[in-house]
Structures are given as structure tokens and as C-alpha cells.
């Protein structure tokens, strides 16, 4: 079939298998261009490995550190007449290239919140690797079926305590408008913490430790976001921010256990980036479009792969200083949070309208990145050509 982008709101319902593979290749090329990362991990488990920061972490571990990788993700497979999701094709692209480079790569497509997937992954580690020395926890999910109770928790992106009014952009249609979001109920807050908080990360680390498959001095890292004040009511102080606080509390507990063996648990605060998760958050895409404009002009713009390569090379490994902040977090959002970047963003923010969106923001760059996530707009791909949609997992 000939595969074209079909954007519906903040998702693209189609994805291009060859374009996704080309996107993965671009990231591999970037990591290789930066050279090997010294003292990096050798056996890595990435939970949430098929898109966004998790995919870039896996690529950095494999192609920057020469690591064997196991990836866990939840994606729709392709079949004869139905497209798979981008993460499905990304994973196939990654696995082909990793194996061609002589690197071990094994994949699990299933619900990472479940006990079954944890058991399967632990079995695979025992069979193939013996242990893992890095666990990246990069899940972003709208829901979680609780493994003990069977209850389905749904996460919401809402303010807490009071309504939040601000401007937002419909990135597809280029319309800037004002929105008001009503505050979350206590149940919605608890549900969001159940999905995006630290409970599942702790369960993974406990299960790995109990099975004896964590290498001594293992590292685990999960990702968070803080961002500028203009987004705090919907992000940092909203339901997702409360879930991130819970993730940080879990981090401290996991660290307490791992550090006895020379290991460490870390939160890395990453930059705001176009991802399938972030495009669903109200207001954030407008902030990202402004941020991209400013950071590209300054020459400090980074995508997922630049962020993750720098996280590994300049914070986590090569004897680098973690440069923890006062709350013990790694900050790889340092370039985003530079005062001059934030001051310029705050100046542009109130001026943006539908009419001047293209001029004052990098909405074009946002859209380009958004489509790239689904394999569209990659150089060297003929988007008019017939393309086989069905790609079995390898
Ligand atoms: P993403 O949507 O690109 O990736 C999410 C991953 O989780 C995918 O691999 C998906 O398959 C997997 N997943 C979802 N539900 C699953 C399930 N039930 N079982 C197994 N796998 C499942 O997200 P992202 O933007 O890369 O976010 C990753 C982390 O980084 C999140 O914790 C997010 O809060 C954080 N973060 C994101 C940004 C940003 O701007 N995008 C910034 C800072 C931090």
C-alpha cells in the first residue's frame, strides 16, 4: 500500500515502516558520530523502548556503549492489511541494525505493568545475559491494569486544586486558542499516580533483585520533567507532576536498596520534546514550538537522541559528574532551563496568536518532528511508492 500521514488531533493514525527504520538509522548515525562512550553499561533492560526517550536510550546503549539490550514496549503489531504502530516498526528497524552490528537485541511486546511480562523478561535475562547493569524506566501510558487488584487506572492531565486557564495550540490546524481545564478529582489524582508514579518501577526493580538478575553496582534511571512556570499548573503542580513526585520518592527507596551493592537509582529531568506522550498534554505543544524556535536560533536545540547521548556520555558514564540538583536529580534539561532561553520564551508566550504562530514559533519544526515520529518526512524514502505494511517482529 501507499502510506500517507493521517493526523487525527494529537496522533497520527498511520506510520511508515521504512520511514521509521530510517528515523532509527538517523539516531544510530548520530550516536556513532559522537564516538564510543567509555565505561558504559553492557547489558541493558529498557522498559518503554519503542519510541521517544526509551528508544533513544536503547540506541545510545547499543551503538554508543556496545550493550546487549532487551526492550519492553506495548505496540500494535502489523498484519497483512493493517499497519503496525510506529513503535512496532522502530523496534524492528533497531533490532535489524543492532544484530547486523553483532549486538544482542531481544524484544517483548506486552503490558510492562503485568506480572507475566516481568516474569518473561527475567527468564530471558537469565537465559541470555545472566544479569543487567542498567535498567531504563521510560514508560508513558494512559492506563494501567493493576497487577494485584485488576483495577484499571486511567491517567489524566489536569491541574490540581483550581482550574487552569491558558493558551494552547491545535498543532494540526495551527489554531491558537484559550482553554480552561477543570481540576482533577481526588480519584483522578490517585489514578494518575497509580499509572505514572513509581509503584511499577519499584516492582520491576524488586522483581529483578529477587531473581538475582541485577548486576552488582547496577544503575536504574527514570525520566521526569519540570519546565517553566507557565506550564507548572498543568504539569509540575498538576496530576502528572504529583505522579512524578511519587516517582522521585520511589527513586529514593530503590536507591537505598541498590546503593548497598554500589548501585544507584536516578531521576533524569529531560528537556521538553515532541513525543507521542507530550503531544497529548494541553499547552505543552505551544511551549515546545516556542522553545524550539529559541533553542534552534541559539544552536542549543536537541532532540531525544541528542539528550540521551549526552545523558550517558556527560552524566551517567565515562566517570562524569552526575551534577545532581538540590533534590538529587540529574538535569539534562539544563540548556532548556537557561535563564536567557526562559526569559525569551516568557516574552514570546503572551504575543502568540493564530496569525503570527508561524513567525513567532517553530510550529513548522514541531510538525516536522511530529510526523518524523511516525516515519514521515525522512530523506531517501519514496512516499509515493508501494510499501509492504506487514513486518513481523524479529
Ligand atoms: P513515548 O510515548 O514516546 O514512549 C512511551 C513508551 O512506553 C513506548 O515505548 C510505549 O510502547 C511504552 N509503553 C506504554 N505503555 C506500556 C505498557 N503498558 N507496557 C509496556 N510498554 C508501554 O514517551 P516519552 O515522551 O519518551 O516519555 C518517556 C518518559 O519520559 C516518561 O516518563 C515521560 O514523562 C518522560 N519525559 C518526557 C518528556 C517529553 O517532553 N516528551 C520530557 C521529560 C520527561
Amino acid at each position: 500500500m501507499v502510506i500517507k500521514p493521517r493526523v487525527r488531533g494529537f496522533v497520527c493514525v498511520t506510520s511508515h515502516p521504512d520511514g521509521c527504520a530510517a528515523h532509527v538509522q538517523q539516531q544510530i548515525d548520530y550516536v556513532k558520530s559522537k564516538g564510543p562512550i567509555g565505561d558504559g553499561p553492557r547489558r541493558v533492560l529498557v522498559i518503554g523502548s519503542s519510541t521517544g526517550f526509551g528508544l533513544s536510550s536503547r540506541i545510545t546503549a547499543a551503538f554508543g556503549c556496545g550493550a546487549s539490550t532487551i526492550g519492553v514496549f506495548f505496540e500494535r503489531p502489523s498484519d497483512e492489511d493493517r499497519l503496525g504502530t510506529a513503535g512496532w516498526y522502530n523496534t524492528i528497524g533497531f533490532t535489524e541494525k543492532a544484530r547486523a552490528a553483532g549486538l544482542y537485541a531481544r524484544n517483548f511486546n506486552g503490558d510492562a505493568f503485568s506480572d507475566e511480562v516481568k516474569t518473561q523478561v527475567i527468564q530471558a535475562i537469565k537465559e541470555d545475559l545472566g544479569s543487567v547493569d542498567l535498567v531504563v524506566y521510560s514508560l508513558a501510558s494512559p492506563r494501567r491494569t493493576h497487577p494485584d487488584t485488576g483495577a484499571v487506572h486511567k491517567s489524566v492531565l489536569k491541574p490540581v486544586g483550581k482550574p487552569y486557564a491558558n493558551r494552547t495550540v491545535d498543532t494540526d490546524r495551527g489554531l491558537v486558542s484559550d482553554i480552561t481545564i477543570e481540576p482533577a478529582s481526588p480519584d483522578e489524582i490517585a489514578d494518575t499516580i497509580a499509572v505514572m508514579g513509581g509503584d511499577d518501577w519499584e516492582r520491576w526493580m524488586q522483581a529483578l533483585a529477587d531473581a538475582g538478575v541485577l548486576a552488582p553496582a547496577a544503575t536504574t534511571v527514570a525520566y521526569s520533567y519540570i519546565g517553566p512556570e507557565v506550564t507548572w499548573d498543568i504539569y509540575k503542580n498538576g496530576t502528572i507532576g504529583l505522579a512524578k513526585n511519587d516517582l522521585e520518592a520511589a527513586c529514593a527507596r530503590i536507591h537505598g536498596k541498590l546503593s548497598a551493592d554500589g548501585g544507584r537509582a536516578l531521576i533524569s529531568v529531560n528537556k521538553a520534546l515532541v513525543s507521542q506522550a507530550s503531544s497529548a498534554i494541553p499547552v505543552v505543544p505551544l511551549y515546545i514550538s516556542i522553545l524550539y524556535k529559541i533553542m534552534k536560533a541559539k544552536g542549543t536545540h536537541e532532540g531525544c537522541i541528542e539528550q540521551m547521548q549526552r545523558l550517558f556520555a556527560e552524566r551517567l558514564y565515562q566517570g562524569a559528574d552526575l551534577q545532581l540538583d538540590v533534590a538529587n536529580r540529574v538535569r539534562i534539561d539544563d540548556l532548556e532551563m537557561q535563564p536567557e532561553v526562559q526569559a525569551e520564551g516568557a516574552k514570546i508566550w503572551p504575543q502568540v496568536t493564530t496569525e503570527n504562530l508561524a513567525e513567532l514559533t517553530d510550529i513548522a519544526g514541531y510538525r516536522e518532528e511530529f510526523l518524523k515520529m511516525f516515519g514521515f518526512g525522512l530523506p531517501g524514502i519514496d512516499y509515493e511508492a508501494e510499501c509492504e505494511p506487514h513486518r513481523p517482529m524479529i
Side-chain angles (χ1 to χ4, degrees), residues 108-393:
F108 289 86
N109 185 31
D111 183 3
F113 295 125
S114 70
D115 291 339
E116 292 75 21
V117 165
K118 291 181 177 72
T119 304
Q120 286 169 21
V121 169
I122 286 169
Q123 189 57 33
I125 298 172
K126 281 185 179 163
E127 282 165 16
D128 297 351
L129 304 176
S131 63
V132 287
D133 53 6
L134 171 64
V135 179
V136 175
Y137 189 82
S138 187
L139 286 191
S141 177
R143 74 186 66 79
R144 171 186 181 202
T145 303
H146 198 283
D148 299 340
T149 64
V152 178
H153 302 280
K154 291 189 178 149
S155 65
V156 299
L157 296 158
K158 291 189 178 182
V160 170
K162 56 180 188 318
Y164 173 61
N166 213 320
R167 56 186 57 202
T168 191
V169 65
D170 176 330
T171 49
D172 188 24
R173 293 187 295 162
L175 299 176
V176 178
S177 61
D178 291 322
I179 48 158
T180 301
I181 307 164
E182 292 304 318
S185 68
D187 281 351
E188 287 176 321
I189 296 170
D191 279 336
T192 306
I193 292 172
V195 180
M196 291 297 288
D199 180 56
D200 184 59
W201 185 23
E202 268 188 289
R203 284 171 185 255
W204 267 102
M205 298 312 296
Q206 194 60 51
L208 293 164
D210 290 348
V213 296
L214 272 185
T219 294
T220 185
V221 62
Y223 300 138
S224 188
Y225 181 66
I226 295 178
E229 232 172 303
V230 70
T231 63
W232 280 4
D233 282 345
I234 188 72
Y235 198 97
K236 179 175 162 295
N237 300 332
T239 48
I240 181 74
L242 295 186
K244 293 297 184 188
N245 292 349
D246 187 69
L247 190 75
E248 286 187 28
C251 182
R253 287 190 295 271
I254 298 168
H255 185 76
K257 291 182 183 162
L258 293 186
S259 58
D261 222 0
R264 53 193 183 162
L266 297 161
I267 295 284
S268 172
V269 181
N270 300 342
K271 176 193 186 220
L273 279 173
V274 182
S275 79
Q276 295 192 37
S278 71
S279 58
I281 308 176
V283 180
V284 167
L286 179 56
Y287 167 70
I288 292 178
S289 306
I290 295 171
L291 183 71
Y292 277 25
K293 174 104 177 167
I294 299 165
M295 293 186 78
K296 282 181 183 173
K298 271 177 76 72
T300 56
H301 174 71
E302 294 177 310
C304 277
I305 195 63
E306 289 85 357
Q307 279 268 290
M308 294 300 96
Q309 198 282 336
R310 201 157 64 85
L311 174 67
F312 277 55
E314 297 182 15
R315 296 291 191 279
L316 300 187
Y317 297 106
Q318 310 208 104
D321 181 356
L322 287 170
Q323 300 177 42
L324 299 179
D325 69 8
V326 286
N328 276 329
R329 297 170 299 214
V330 176
R331 302 301 294 262
I332 207 74
D333 64 340
D334 48 348
L335 302 177
E336 168 182 357
M337 298 314 289
Q338 281 176 343
E340 65 273 23
V341 170
Q342 287 303 321
E344 205 173 327
K347 215 166 71 193
I348 295 173
W349 184 268
Q351 300 176 41
V352 181
T353 61
T354 300
E355 291 67 39
N356 64 22
L357 182 69
E359 181 200 336
L360 292 189
T361 81
D362 185 28
I363 187 74
Y366 183 100
R367 288 188 180 125
E368 210 174 285
E369 280 294 303
F370 179 81
L371 289 175
K372 249 171 104 173
M373 286 196 301
F374 301 92
F376 297 107
L378 275 298
I381 304 292
D382 180 357
Y383 290 100
E384 301 303 325
E386 286 287 327
C387 177
E388 170 58 52
H390 188 35
R391 309 289 169 103
M393 187 51 68

